[in-house]
Amino acid sequence: MEIRHSLEPALPGAAIGAVAGVAAGGLTLLAGQPLGRAALSALALAVPLALCGGAYGLLIGRWLFRPGAFAPVALFWMVAFPTSRLIQESLAGVGMRDGVLLFLAYQAMVSVGFAIGFVWLHERLTVRRR
Amino acid sequence: MDTSKPSAAAAPPVEDERVWKAGRLEPMPIRKLPDAPPSVHILGPTVFLVALGVGMGESYMWPRLVLLFGPEIRWLFLIGVTLQAVVMLEMARYAMATGESIFSGAARVFKPIMWFFFVTAIAVYIWPGHLSAGAAAFEEITGIPWVVTAVIGLILVGVVFSLAKVIYNVLENLLSVLIGVLVISTAVVAAMVGSWGDVVSTITGMFAFGYLPPEALSAAWFPVIVGACAFAGPSGMQQMWYTLHLRDSGAGMGAHIPRIRGLRHAGEEEAMPTRGFMFDTDDPAEMAKWKGWRRWVTFDALLLFWGVTMLVTISFTVIAQAAVRQNPGVRAVISGDDREVALTAMSDAVSSAGSSVLGVVFLGFIALIGLNATLGLFDSFSRGQADMTYNFVPGARKRKMSHLYAGFLWGVIIFGILILLFGPADGPSGILDTLAFLSTFAMGAYCVTLLLVNNRMLPKPIRPKWWTNVIVGFGAVFYLGMLFYSLFAFGVVVD
């Protein structure tokens, strides 16, 4: 019961991460890829994003992570998003055209946009749960 | 501060009796400015501006221009969106300081200015053509004829806004989730199909100031570029409507104004005051709170508005570039004049670049953007017209604001359905140019209006800085200059 209670703040972030991951993984489903490979692609992104999203929920209120403050969330996803994508590409990707470093740099850039959407939805979901 | 006492009969018994005289209309009583939100607030009325602003310009017009003229053309987009961010801050200045809409501010300067916007709104926004792109994208995905989707969508919008207790809350919740999903999905798709090279060329292109290839300066393409500049961020009168959302969200002095309710709950609405309020700008404590509100809205303008608009456009441009890399033939199709054909071509190209479902996702985004725009447009139009009618049409105050809102909402919905079924969705072809002209002209006109309202109707301590005036003045020259240049040099308005 106590564990459940302490993990509750992780739920909104984990849900957003999972949905984003599954949605993206779903893209490969009708790409002519076999179902198994599409599912692996979805899982390979959904799991790391959900874990990172959940971790963010647990970090809120600690260190720099104040509700609504954007910069720490952006920094958080600048590390977490490229890492998640790297895991997905390694397990179920089609190869990195520009090499790992440029791949990571590009993902880090896109992560800022992801962070805006994440914090936007996270705050909305958290408000609703209150 | 230029304040004076009102007549004893008009004065409320206990409240502060000082007033702020602005123009010839009723003076604004002095009231306390509420405290600004304590932390940087991620959600707020900017949701509406983003929902309205992120539309065809971001998802279609600019990616198309980049494919045709190269990423360097995006310097015009950077100017357009940055200009809109400053305009947004200035719109917020008047709305948060008074709790009045910019329409009331315009009436305080000179009433015909407000009537110009009243008539322009009806002329431009009564046509349901803006529904077509989103509904057509939905038709591509599901096969359901777009007219059916559009009519059902119209009725649903009317029912939702009529049943809602407080319209603002419903709309903010709905749009928040839709935009959040849009932003996250766009980022993930861009992450999967784009590359470092795409994003670098897209971003560096934004700083190629002055770049205009010879073919862009032709009768065929210059009007398209003017249209795309007008559609960078919120277009037409959307920025003006933002002041109504700020007021209804209780930002700044908007806290003293009751909220508009849905038709079913109209009876619970408190009496709407006939003018806004002003705070004591000579009081340092009040000015400290004002600075808090300005910080709050600046954060909204920079991160949410500027950031999200930029992100969505960059992502769509990256997606389009990736698509053309896979299938160069699509460039020719995209340059064609038919929006639906071009959108389908982009979707097909996206499919070939990534997967067939990517094309569906692309169309899904277009449908989602269309839904956001429809929800926002119908609400905002009705809100703006109801505000002007209530305050300035003789006898209108016998009705509640909610009834006027519902009247305009259902009026535009019923007219929209009739036109969808029996008429030209964009408006009669003979007046299309006039409508396009009015829409862009309104943007130049509201820049001039803003300068007049903020510099003449607000107390000196909270008037805009000189550099802000220069930027807003540049906005007027930018929109009106491009519009008239296109008209006189090429004989075409905007496309």
Side-chain angles (χ1 to χ4, degrees):
Chain A
M1 191 70 186
E2 205 155 285
I3 294 178
R4 213 191 88 185
H5 193 67
S6 61
L7 286 181
E8 212 175 35
L11 281 180
I16 298 167
V19 168
V22 169
L27 298 182
T28 48
L29 184 64
L30 298 180
Q33 301 274 0
L35 184 65
R37 188 165 179 80
L40 178 65
S41 175
L43 270 180
L45 189 60
V47 171
L49 284 182
L51 286 175
C52 296
Y56 168 78
L58 294 176
L59 284 172
I60 278 193
R62 296 171 204 201
W63 300 321
L64 297 168
F65 293 90
R66 285 176 290 112
F70 178 69
V73 190
L75 287 175
F76 176 85
W77 281 111
M78 209 172 263
V79 176
F81 187 79
T83 312
S84 304
R85 282 278 296 125
L86 190 63
I87 293 170
Q88 186 200 23
E89 282 296 315
S90 310
L91 293 176
V94 289
M96 291 164 238
R97 202 170 49 237
D98 303 325
V100 177
L101 279 183
L102 283 184
F103 172 83
L104 287 176
Y106 173 63
Q107 301 302 326
M109 212 178 254
V110 176
S111 74
V112 180
F114 183 84
I116 294 178
F118 177 85
V119 79
W120 183 307
L121 277 179
H122 190 271
E123 183 140 326
R124 174 54 59 193
L125 289 180
T126 319
V127 167
R128 280 204 176 145
R129 284 160 48 80
R130 270 174 206 153
Chain B
M1 188 166 172
D2 179 20
T3 55
S4 59
K5 303 248 180 190
S7 67
V14 194
E15 300 274 13
D16 193 332
E17 290 181 14
R18 292 172 302 159
V19 293
W20 165 249
K21 283 183 179 168
R24 289 184 194 157
L25 299 182
E26 202 178 343
M28 303 178 203
I30 304 296
R31 293 286 181 273
K32 283 282 179 203
L33 182 67
D35 286 324
S39 67
V40 178
H41 206 73
I42 201 87
L43 291 169
T46 309
V47 165
F48 296 93
L49 207 53
V50 175
L52 288 169
V54 175
M56 281 299 123
E58 287 66 26
S59 57
Y60 164 66
M61 288 178 167
W62 282 99
R64 180 177 179 228
L65 286 179
V66 166
L67 294 182
L68 293 171
F69 300 120
E72 293 86 353
I73 197 78
R74 282 179 53 86
W75 68 276
L76 279 167
F77 182 79
L78 178 69
I79 290 187
V81 175
T82 308
L83 200 53
Q84 287 293 314
V86 176
V87 167
M88 173 189 162
L89 283 169
E90 289 314 297
M91 290 281 178
R93 183 186 299 277
Y94 185 76
M96 293 197 312
T98 63
E100 285 186 355
S101 69
I102 192 69
F103 300 116
S104 295
R108 284 185 182 278
V109 174
F110 186 46
K111 263 192 192 168
I113 301 179
M114 185 223 47
W115 288 120
F116 163 74
F117 288 117
F118 185 88
V119 173
T120 301
I122 292 180
V124 173
Y125 291 101
I126 203 165
W127 309 102
H130 55 89
L131 284 165
S132 63
F138 194 69
E139 179 178 339
E140 287 270 336
I141 303 171
T142 60
I144 299 171
W146 78 269
V147 173
V148 175
T149 314
V151 169
I152 292 175
L154 278 174
I155 294 171
L156 273 179
V157 167
V159 170
V160 167
F161 289 152
S162 296
L163 295 182
K165 186 167 185 192
V166 177
I167 290 159
Y168 177 84
N169 293 356
V170 173
L171 201 57
E172 192 191 302
N173 284 336
L174 203 58
L175 291 182
S176 290
V177 172
L178 290 178
I179 294 168
V181 169
L182 177 73
V183 170
I184 283 209
S185 316
T186 311
V188 171
V189 172
M192 289 179 73
V193 302
S195 70
W196 174 261
D198 289 335
V199 82
V200 166
S201 70
T202 302
I203 290 176
T204 49
M206 283 197 293
F207 298 95
F209 294 110
Y211 169 82
L212 269 181
E215 60 269 35
L217 289 169
S218 64
W221 286 107
F222 191 76
V224 178
I225 291 176
V226 177
C229 287
F231 274 86
S235 60
M237 292 172 60
Q238 295 166 2
Q239 285 270 13
M240 305 185 89
W241 293 332
Y242 167 62
T243 59
L244 296 156
H245 290 119
L246 267 175
R247 181 182 74 183
D248 229 22
S249 71
M253 296 304 277
H256 295 285
I257 312 281
R259 293 173 154 204
I260 299 182
R261 292 176 182 273
L263 196 56
R264 198 163 76 89
H265 299 271
E268 301 161 32
E269 185 174 281
E270 302 153 57
M272 197 62 76
T274 52
R275 35 87 199 107
F277 299 89
M278 179 54 67
F279 61 94
D280 184 354
T281 53
D282 291 333
D283 180 347
E286 292 285 276
M287 284 303 284
K289 285 193 263 179
W290 173 248
K291 282 189 179 140
W293 279 108
R294 291 302 291 171
R295 270 197 300 275
W296 176 81
V297 77
T298 304
F299 175 84
D300 263 19
L302 293 183
L303 184 74
L304 293 189
F305 171 71
W306 199 91
V308 170
T309 308
M310 276 291 166
L311 166 80
V312 174
T313 322
I314 289 174
S315 298
F316 269 95
T317 307
V318 164
I319 292 169
Q321 280 176 303
V324 167
R325 198 170 45 236
Q326 296 288 320
N327 180 5
V330 85
R331 193 184 294 269
V333 184
I334 286 176
S335 68
D337 216 16
D338 189 319
R339 188 177 63 185
E340 265 78 50
V341 172
L343 280 174
T344 310
M346 279 171 86
S347 156
D348 290 345
V350 170
S351 299
S352 67
S355 70
S356 56
V357 83
L358 257 190
V360 175
V361 168
F362 178 83
L363 290 171
F365 284 163
I366 300 289
L368 187 59
I369 284 170
L371 177 64
N372 277 347
T374 304
L375 282 168
L377 269 180
F378 277 76
D379 166 73
S380 302
F381 169 81
S382 314
R383 206 175 274 269
Q385 300 307 95
D387 180 74
M388 287 185 264
T389 306
Y390 183 83
N391 286 316
F392 301 106
V393 171
R397 284 181 195 156
K398 287 179 195 155
R399 309 245 164 229
K400 283 184 182 292
M401 182 78 99
S402 303
H403 291 146
L404 294 173
Y405 172 90
F408 278 105
L409 182 73
W410 281 105
V412 78
I413 286 174
I414 290 166
F415 182 81
I417 292 173
L418 291 175
I419 289 292
L420 281 173
L421 295 176
F422 308 111
D426 289 320
S429 56
I431 62 164
L432 277 184
D433 273 358
T434 312
L435 298 184
F437 176 87
L438 272 178
S439 179
T440 312
F441 185 81
M443 297 174 76
Y446 71 51
C447 288
V448 177
T449 306
L450 254 188
L451 287 175
L452 290 169
V453 170
N454 280 351
N455 288 288
R456 289 183 52 200
M457 297 298 126
L458 291 177
K460 269 195 181 142
I462 57 170
R463 284 182 189 171
K465 300 260 190 312
W466 68 267
W467 56 267
T468 318
N469 285 332
V470 169
I471 296 174
V472 177
F474 169 76
V477 175
F478 183 70
Y479 294 121
L480 297 178
M482 297 231 302
L483 181 65
F484 283 109
Y485 181 77
S486 181
L487 192 60
F488 292 123
F490 304 113
V492 188
V493 184
V494 285
D495 203 349

